[in-house]
């Protein structure tokens, strides 16, 4: 078949990310399932979650102490008579009279006429009397009924990724099962005649396949279901077979074979499959040869199946997955789109580089709060897997900078966000 090659299309990082986000916004998950709370951890909610009652359902004591009327303890020290006790879960709530106090535990329901809790630390008790050493203001240490949420308030939107706080919220409204979106199936195809699988002994000039496994790990962390294909040789017939198989998944990630080399055949074979390329490179390092496109699929070719051609150098593969693959997997999971979230840290040692590319350089961040400091990991370029394993983050260098001085605050992306 005659293949018409589309001209190369190299975008800035921002443009490329925008293109991916635009396509991602058209994608929907392919199904839903009902899961128990623990199985739903990390999944994306497919239904809204509502408050089944007011939160808190009663005026809740936020401290161990004494329920009082604040007016009685404006002048201190004040002596009050202790007339009862309320523990958490207590159903019978005694009345509170003037110049009286009721001993109350955190989580107990405050009496109707109490408007504050005096912390036990500010009282001294002798028999049935307490002396209060500190005044309290109205509402102090009491969370009023419905202050956190009112019955039928929407607490979680569909599209929310379920982490521990969301799981706790679902539990608190009595939802032991949650409707979540199905995980997208993400096919992984590593290419290269030099690449052998992990259980084989590589020849002197061969290397083991690590990209399939780093990608599988990243797909799992992003909420996808990895589908691992056999390694594709740099030979068009078998490559085409495996690409076709990979395109049956919801998304196909190809690693390697997208650079300018004579045996980088991925784009050529994808063109034969009527691929449309949205970009064929981005001005980033590592990962410049990143390719994003789609092929027609489904009935009468009305749908599109997306693929990424990720450069095969292992750190390029990792970084381009994090920057471009991840948002597409999120979209296929039905998650509300998220921007990349950066930290800032003070650079320990100056960086000298060249202008033109946005760089994502493996680095180690240490210290905390305003002492956060970061320094680059020495690396031998984007093939250096050991440097990626030593790093806990990537420092971002903007394309207009040739030099960044020690002491400057620089943007940092945590490795875990990739
Ligand atoms: P490519 O993008 O195919 O030109 O590959 C770039 C570099 O990445 C080459 O040095 C490859 O040997 C290496 N590489 C390609 N695929 C893999 C893989 N699956 N695992 C580890 N390294 C790879
Ligand atoms: Mg290759």
């Amino acid at each position: 078949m005659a293949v018409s090659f589309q001209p190369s299309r190299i975008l800035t990082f921002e443009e490329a990310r925008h293109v991916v986000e635009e396509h991602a916004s058209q994608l929907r998950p392919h199904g839903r399932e009902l899961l128990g709370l623990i199985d739903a951890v990390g999944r994306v909610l497919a239904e809204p979650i509502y408050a089944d009652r007011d939160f808190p359902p009663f005026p809740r004591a936020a401290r161990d102490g004494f329920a009082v009327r604040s007016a009685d303890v404006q002048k201190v020290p004040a002596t009050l008579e202790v007339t009862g006790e309320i523990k958490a879960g207590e159903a019978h709530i005694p009345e509170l009279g003037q110049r009286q106090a009721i001993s109350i535990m955190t989580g107990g329901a405050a009496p109707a006429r109490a408007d504050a809790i005096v912390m036990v630390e500010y009282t001294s008790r002798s028999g049935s009397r307490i002396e209060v050493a500190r005044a309290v203001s109205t509402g102090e240490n009491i969370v009023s009924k419905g202050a956190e949420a009112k019955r039928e308030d929407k607490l979680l939107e569909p599209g929310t990724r379920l982490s521990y706080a969301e799981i706790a919220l679902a539990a608190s409204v009595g939802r032991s099962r949650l409707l979540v979106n199905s995980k997208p199936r993400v096919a992984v195809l590593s290419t290269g005649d030099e690449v052998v699988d992990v259980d084989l002994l590589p020849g002197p000039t061969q290397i083991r396949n690590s990209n399939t496994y780093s990608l599988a790990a990243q797909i799992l962390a992003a909420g996808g279901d990895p589908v691992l294909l056999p390694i594709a040789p740099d030979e068009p017939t078998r490559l085409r077979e495996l690409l076709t198989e990979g395109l049956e998944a919801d998304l196909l990630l190809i690693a390697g074979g997208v650079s300018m080399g004579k045996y980088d055949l991925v784009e050529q074979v994808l063109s034969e499959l009527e691929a449309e390329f949205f970009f064929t490179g981005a001005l980033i390092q590592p990962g410049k040869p990143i390719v994003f496109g789609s092929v027609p699929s489904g009935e009468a070719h009305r749908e599109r199946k997306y693929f990424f051609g990720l450069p095969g150098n292992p750190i390029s593969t990792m970084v381009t997955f994090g920057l471009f693959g991840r948002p597409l997997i999120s979209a296929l999971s039905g998650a509300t789109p998220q921007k990349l979230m950066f930290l800032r840290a003070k650079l320990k040692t100056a960086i000298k580089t060249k202008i033109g590319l946005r760089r994502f350089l493996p680095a180690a961040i240490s210290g905390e709060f305003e002492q956060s400091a970061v320094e680059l990991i020495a690396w031998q370029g984007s093939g250096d897997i050991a440097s990626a394993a030593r790093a806990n983050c990537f420092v971002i260098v903007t394309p207009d900078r040739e030099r960044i001085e020690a002491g400057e605050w620089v943007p940092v992306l945590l490795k875990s966000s990739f």
Side-chain angles (χ1 to χ4, degrees), residues 242-259:
L242 288 168
L243 286 171
T244 307
E245 191 179 332
L247 285 163
E248 279 164 26
D250 298 312
L251 172 66
L252 169 61
L253 303 180
I254 307 136
V258 291
S259 309

Side-chain angles (χ1 to χ4, degrees), residues 191-195 234 255-258 263-264 312:
T191 72
D193 284 343
E194 78 284 27
V195 184
D234 294 320
V258 291
Y263 297 100
D264 290 325

Side-chain angles (χ1 to χ4, degrees), residues 155-167:
L155 300 179
L156 292 174
E157 296 280 349
T160 305
R161 177 95 51 198
L162 295 163
S163 182
Y164 50 88
E166 294 77 17
I167 292 289

Side-chain angles (χ1 to χ4, degrees), residues 190-191 194-195 207-211 256-257 259 264 311-314:
S190 283
T191 72
E194 78 284 27
V195 184
I207 54 162
R208 291 197 182 90
N209 174 16
S210 62
N211 286 339
S259 309
D264 290 325
N313 257 319

Side-chain angles (χ1 to χ4, degrees), residues 23 52 62 133 135 151 185 241 255 264-265 279 322 330 355 409 416:
H23 285 278
D52 65 329
R151 185 188 147 97
R185 295 174 71 248
E241 262 172 36
D264 290 325
L265 303 171
F279 56 82
S330 281
I355 58 167
W409 289 84
S416 55

